[in-house]
């Protein structure tokens, strides 16, 4: 990657995009892990001298990734988080220098009383040891990512109690692990909405059945009828938006509405890498959604296909007022607290790459 022109994507970045488009890399966790690995490689091998230069490199390569893969929000989240880490490590190093200065009290006072405008963009000074500090911090993030799934599923017994009837929709690996973990110490029953037309809920039902969990598959049309018997709704999500809303699998909105009607709590499993500072809504369908093959909804050979327009959206927008609790790998939080989590993960200047 050394000597790579900054106005073109690195070969590793291009190959990554190619692998995703060929479905060789599937799943938010794998996308996040690969993106983190690529950017760590960029920090290690690129020729940069200042934090400002490094952030420019990361931002440009991140822009290539986001432009090529706009629907994979976790990639942009990873780029933003690394930019925040660069800022933090640089600021920490500057703070240590101020501590070592003979004018410690004056320097600290000056540092603390600086406005954000004065501090912004002041990353142009070379900083000794910045590369090693960044690599060490990124190794900690990699460890966090590796243990993320275990930390999430370990909270299952705190939210699921014995003899509860749980409803979910489609097939989420996080939900599957969460329910499997709960079933080790609890006797539970699960209702899975099949999530037509892909009907991925069937695979989840099979996997839960192998784990000796009593599971019932229902069509999406039966969600409202069954909801009155349900104790909790537990779903996964593609991403958590800045307002606490969800970009979730199509059908999640109707599920959440039914749960709201019957006052059933909706628990969303969302690792921190799925939290994004992006504001999207159900009205921004061009950027928000993906339309699948309409053949799955109405076969082309059907007489109805000649007279009807059919859409097969991949995602639903679920507003925050329909969500009861987010369970992340660091604990449970209400939707109103998402803004605080975002401020800890990302810097406001990096919201637009």
């Amino acid at each position: 990657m050394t000597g790579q022109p900054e106005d073109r994507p690195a070969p590793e970045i291009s190959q990554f995009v190619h692998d995703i488009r060929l479905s060789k890399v599937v799943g938010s966790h794998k996308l996040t892990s690969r993106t983190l690995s690529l950017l760590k490689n960029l920090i290690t091998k690129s020729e940069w001298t200042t934090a400002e230069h490094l952030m420019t490199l990361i931002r440009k390569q991140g822009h290539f990734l986001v432009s090529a893969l706009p629907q994979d929000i976790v990639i942009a989240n990873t780029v933003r988080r690394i930019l925040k880490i660069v800022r933090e490590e640089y600021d920490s190093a500057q703070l240590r220098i101020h501590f070592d200065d003979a004018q410690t009290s004056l320097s600290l006072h000056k540092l603390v009383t600086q406005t954000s405008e004065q501090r912004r963009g002041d990353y142009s000074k070379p900083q000794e040891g910045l590369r090693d500090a960044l690599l060490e911090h990124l190794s900690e993030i990699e460890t966090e990512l590796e243990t993320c799934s275990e930390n999430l599923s370990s909270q299952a017994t705190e939210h699921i109690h014995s003899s509860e009837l749980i409803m979910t929709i489609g097939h989420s690996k996080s939900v599957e692990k969460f329910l499997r973990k709960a079933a080790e110490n609890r006797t539970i029953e699960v209702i899975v909405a099949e999530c037509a037309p892909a009907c991925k809920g069937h695979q989840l039902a099979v996997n839960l059945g192998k784990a000796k969990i009593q599971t019932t598959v229902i069509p999406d049309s039966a969600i409202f009828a069954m909801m009155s018997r349900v104790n909790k709704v537990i779903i996964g999500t593609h991403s958590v938006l800045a307002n606490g809303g969800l970009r979730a699998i199509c059908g999640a909105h109707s599920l959440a509405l039914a749960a709201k009607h019957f006052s059933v709590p909706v628990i969303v499993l969302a690792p921190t890498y799925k939290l994004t500072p992006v504001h999207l809504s159900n009205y921004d369908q061009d950027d928000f959604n993906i339309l699948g093959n309409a053949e799955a909804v109405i076969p082309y050979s059907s007489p109805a296909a000649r007279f009807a327009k059919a859409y097969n959206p991949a995602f639903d927008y679920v507003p925050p007022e329909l969500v009861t609790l987010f369970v992340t790998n660091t604990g449970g939080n209400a939707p109103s607290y998402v803004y605080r989590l975002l401020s800890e993960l990302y810097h406001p200047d990096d919201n637009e790459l």
Side-chain angles (χ1 to χ4, degrees), residues 72-339:
D72 295 312
I73 293 181
V74 292
I75 293 176
N77 293 345
T78 306
V79 175
R80 293 186 183 101
R81 188 166 186 187
I82 291 179
L83 288 171
K84 174 76 179 293
I85 290 171
V86 174
R87 296 174 189 273
E88 286 180 343
E89 290 297 336
Y90 180 85
D91 291 340
S92 296
Q94 289 296 309
L95 188 59
R96 285 194 295 270
I97 291 175
H98 282 285
F99 267 117
D100 294 337
D101 195 340
Q103 301 290 332
T104 301
S105 59
L106 178 62
S107 300
L108 283 177
H109 176 74
K110 185 178 179 180
L111 183 68
V112 170
T113 55
Q114 277 182 324
T115 64
S116 58
E117 287 77 12
Q118 289 173 317
R119 289 195 299 267
R120 185 175 299 160
D122 186 22
Y123 298 94
S124 58
K125 299 178 182 178
Q127 181 60 57
E128 185 180 352
L130 180 60
R131 192 187 304 262
D132 292 338
L134 288 173
L135 294 177
E136 183 178 349
H137 199 147
L138 290 179
S139 296
E140 295 175 2
I141 301 298
E142 286 179 332
T143 304
E144 176 189 327
L145 195 59
E146 291 171 1
T147 59
C148 181
S149 179
E150 294 178 6
N151 292 338
L152 188 61
S153 59
S154 65
Q155 303 172 60
T157 53
E158 298 176 16
H159 301 284
I160 298 178
H161 308 290
S162 292
S163 304
E164 284 195 329
L165 182 60
I166 310 297
M167 183 179 284
T168 186
I169 186 170
H171 183 202
S172 166
K173 291 182 179 178
S174 297
V175 172
E176 181 183 338
K177 291 181 180 178
F178 198 80
L179 294 174
R180 280 174 172 264
K181 188 68 174 180
E184 292 178 3
N185 302 299
R186 306 277 194 265
T187 301
I188 61 173
E189 185 178 347
V190 179
I191 296 176
V192 182
E194 64 181 2
C195 195
C199 297
K200 293 184 179 179
H202 292 183
Q203 184 59 51
L204 175 61
V206 169
N207 295 348
L208 294 179
K210 291 178 180 177
K212 308 299 182 185
I213 300 174
Q214 186 175 349
T215 308
T216 305
V217 179
I218 62 172
D220 299 336
S221 57
I223 288 176
F224 190 84
M226 298 295 294
M227 187 60 70
S228 61
R229 299 175 53 202
V230 172
N231 298 108
K232 285 187 179 75
V233 170
I234 299 179
I235 60 174
T237 185
H238 181 268
S239 56
V240 178
L241 307 179
N243 65 341
L246 304 180
R247 187 192 198 203
I249 190 170
C250 190
H253 187 209
S254 58
L255 177 69
L257 283 172
K260 184 76 170 180
H261 179 81
F262 289 102
S263 300
V264 176
V266 176
I267 297 176
V268 179
L269 307 185
T272 51
Y273 57 79
K274 291 188 177 184
L275 301 178
T276 181
V278 174
H279 287 273
L280 290 174
S281 73
N282 206 28
Y283 306 103
D284 301 323
Q285 289 296 323
D286 291 341
D287 297 327
F288 180 82
N289 227 324
I290 301 174
L291 294 179
N293 191 344
E295 167 76 13
V297 180
I298 299 181
Y300 296 144
S301 58
S302 169
R306 292 181 293 172
F307 307 103
K309 271 189 176 181
Y311 296 94
N312 183 14
F315 301 115
D316 260 354
Y317 170 69
V318 181
E321 57 266 23
L322 298 182
V323 178
T324 306
L325 184 71
F326 287 108
V327 178
T328 70
N329 48 298
T330 58
N333 296 283
S336 59
Y337 195 73
V338 167
Y339 81 96

